[in-house]
Amino acid sequence: MEPVNIGLLGLGTVGGGTVTVLTRNAAEIARRAGRGIRIAHAAARQYDPERISGLDSIGRIGDDAFAVVDDPDVAIVVELIGGYSPARELVLRAIANGKHVVTANKALIALHGNEIFAAAQEQGVVVAFEAAVAGGIPIIKALREGLAANHIEWIAGIINGTGNFILTEMRDKGRDFADVLAEAQALGYAEADPTFDVEGIDAAHKLTILGSLAFGIPLQFERTFTEGISRIEAQDVAYAAELGYRIKHLGIARRTPDGIELRVHPTLIPHRRLIANVDGVMNAVLVKGDAVGPTLYYGAGAGALPTASAVVADIVDVVRALTTDPHNRVPHLAFQPTELADTPVLPMADVETAYYLRLTALDRPGVMARIAGILGEEGISIEAIKQKEPAAGETHVPLIMLTHRVREARMDRALTRIGELDAVAGHIMRIRMETLAG
Ligand code: HSE
């Protein structure tokens, strides 16, 4: 049988990795797919030929991405440019031309996935996006296929390698935030705009996708709560450790009787949890299904070859599906498109979680009672309190508290009232806390 012709958009980190994997493992990939896979036409504005092995296997390399999606010889377009535009226009045009699409573009899927999947459905083509979430970890396949029997209860994931690398290096080596970020950029892990990593936007793109796959709801990036790691201080990392916790930047999707939580924020988790020990650039996703219980998926969430591993697996899947009836393929968002639910995504004020609080209070009798009183009046139960020694000559002391679970709106009210006390100085640090118990 003739090889399948691929059109490749982008020869950067992931594009280069994809060329390498497709050529290096060509024979084995063909044995799996049932046909050879050939990059017939690639487009890149710029690339470094020295850094890409297998480049000479590509039929033709140009700089016009639209020429690739319009090329009648191309059956599958692999979009590895990233960003919203022109990726959206290219993918929609490829679909309109009747081509299947493989993409690693989480921003594109999180923001424009509903439109893209509707267009693909209409044309009877596949849009595959395994590489969009957690790089080389086959988490989309696991959610869509491996866990299809389950009522998914919650997901908690470390889904941004750069953020995890920064938190790990800060904790283990006391390194400076900017210095670690620069290293992640040099290693090709960070986004083109690294604020996407540290402010949680990249993780929110990925969580939006995971939430839709888990709960069968349309993609709703605009409703995903996002808080980054840039406010985390070394003292919080140290206090969390003293209390038996680690701070991780988690994406959490949870089903509750009132709606669905979609939230990305720094989170204290018990240090004994496996996921609390996922360090460096590695990603991990913990999925709790009602039948299977908790399951954990771990691996490289970024980088050329791990991401290419997911891209090429998608290409193989699409090649296998070329001759199948479009109505009998795995649905894009795991649930049949007509079966997506309108379950509301909860505003953060309605989310219930436990909290770590750090405030700076006057070291005087009655202050702690006043603070505890306000928490009690708002229905917030305290789990632990730690007061540190005042530094020499200091009148104020750091006060660390852990609370039981409470609705965020109540905590907001309590923190406003506590912040207004004369005895409390400066900003109150609040970090959400989860036990992630199976
Ligand atoms: N910037 C992302 C990360 C790359 O650090 O995880 C993979 O999406």
Side-chain angles (χ1 to χ4, degrees):
M1 207 184 275
E2 285 289 297
V4 177
N5 283 332
I6 303 291
L8 182 60
L9 311 180
L11 284 168
T13 304
V14 182
T18 299
V19 177
T20 301
V21 172
L22 275 175
T23 48
R24 187 166 86 186
N25 298 343
E28 242 173 320
I29 290 168
R31 283 172 61 210
R32 292 196 172 102
R35 293 171 72 174
I37 294 169
R38 171 177 171 263
I39 303 173
H41 194 169
R45 271 206 298 245
Q46 56 185 31
Y47 60 97
D48 181 355
E50 301 302 315
R51 289 183 58 182
I52 305 174
S53 76
L55 213 53
D56 50 2
S57 68
I58 299 179
R60 178 174 149 211
I61 303 179
D63 60 4
D64 182 358
F66 284 95
V68 175
V69 302
D70 288 338
D71 185 335
D73 287 340
V74 165
I76 304 170
V77 169
V78 181
E79 185 277 306
L80 303 175
I81 295 175
Y84 305 115
S85 183
R88 174 177 164 271
E89 293 76 12
L90 286 163
V91 164
L92 288 173
R93 189 138 130 196
I95 292 169
N97 287 340
K99 299 181 195 307
H100 302 279
V101 174
V102 171
T103 178
N105 193 331
K106 53 254 162 153
L108 179 73
I109 298 297
L111 268 86
H112 301 298
N114 297 323
E115 176 192 21
I116 289 169
F117 298 146
Q121 193 72 20
E122 180 90 17
Q123 285 288 331
V125 296
V126 176
V127 176
F129 51 100
E130 181 65 68
V133 182
I137 307 175
I139 185 63
I140 289 176
K141 190 140 204 101
L143 277 172
R144 273 204 311 212
E145 299 176 47
L147 298 177
N150 287 264
H151 174 85
I152 305 291
E153 294 172 6
W154 54 263
I155 295 178
I158 295 172
I159 44 181
N160 181 270
T162 302
N164 201 39
F165 183 58
I166 292 172
L167 285 177
T168 305
E169 291 288 300
M170 286 174 74
R171 186 193 75 214
D172 287 353
K173 301 182 189 152
R175 282 178 69 188
D176 182 52
F177 182 92
D179 167 44
V180 189
L181 177 59
E183 188 182 341
Q185 285 176 292
L187 291 169
Y189 300 141
E191 295 303 300
D193 176 353
T195 59
F196 272 43
D197 295 300
V198 294
E199 297 308 337
I201 300 157
D202 175 74
H205 287 146
K206 296 165 181 168
L207 184 73
T208 300
I209 298 171
L210 292 178
S212 289
L213 293 168
F215 306 126
I217 55 170
L219 295 149
Q220 295 164 75
F221 173 71
E222 67 288 354
R223 295 207 165 86
T224 302
F225 174 81
T226 308
E227 186 180 294
I229 56 171
S230 52
R231 297 174 319 119
I232 300 294
E233 293 182 26
Q235 56 178 323
D236 297 309
V237 175
Y239 294 147
E242 282 178 29
L243 291 158
Y245 292 85
R246 287 198 171 165
I247 301 176
K248 290 289 179 190
H249 200 196
L250 290 189
I252 298 173
R254 189 192 306 267
R255 197 197 294 261
T256 78
D258 300 326
I260 287 164
E261 300 174 3
L262 290 177
R263 48 191 171 104
V264 171
H265 51 70
T267 314
L268 263 76
I269 49 179
H271 71 88
R272 63 184 180 280
R273 295 266 176 270
L274 271 179
I275 195 168
N277 294 282
V278 171
D279 286 334
V281 78
M282 301 308 274
N283 281 200
V285 185
L286 184 52
V287 182
K288 170 78 172 21
D290 69 331
V292 71
T295 57
L296 181 65
Y297 309 83
Y298 168 85
L305 296 185
T307 311
S309 163
V311 169
V312 174
D314 268 351
I315 296 173
V316 170
D317 257 3
V318 174
V319 170
R320 286 169 175 156
L322 284 176
T323 53
T324 58
D325 170 0
H327 298 290
N328 289 326
R329 292 180 181 145
V330 180
H332 290 111
L333 287 178
F335 291 71
Q336 297 298 334
T338 50
E339 297 296 327
L340 293 186
D342 58 2
T343 318
V345 175
L346 295 176
M348 202 55 199
D350 290 343
V351 165
E352 202 176 271
T353 176
Y355 292 87
Y356 158 100
L357 305 175
R358 174 176 53 79
L359 41 97
T360 309
L362 203 56
D363 191 16
R364 209 170 51 198
V367 170
M368 177 76 88
R370 188 73 198 97
I371 293 168
I374 292 174
L375 290 173
E377 283 156 25
E378 296 294 348
I380 300 168
S381 171
I382 299 170
E383 185 192 310
I385 300 184
K386 237 176 166 9
Q387 182 181 319
K388 309 306 281 188
E389 285 297 310
E394 272 292 340
T395 51
H396 287 72
V397 284
L399 210 58
I400 319 318
M401 295 188 197
L402 302 184
T403 77
H404 288 289
R405 296 178 73 80
V406 63
R407 241 167 225 249
E408 179 117 343
R410 279 180 181 268
M411 182 55 81
D412 288 342
R413 266 200 314 267
L415 293 187
T416 304
R417 289 179 61 193
I418 292 170
E420 284 165 0
L421 295 176
D422 288 340
V424 172
H427 169 73
I428 302 175
M429 174 59 100
R430 160 237 306 253
I431 307 177
R432 298 168 188 90
M433 194 167 88
E434 294 288 343
T435 59
L436 303 183

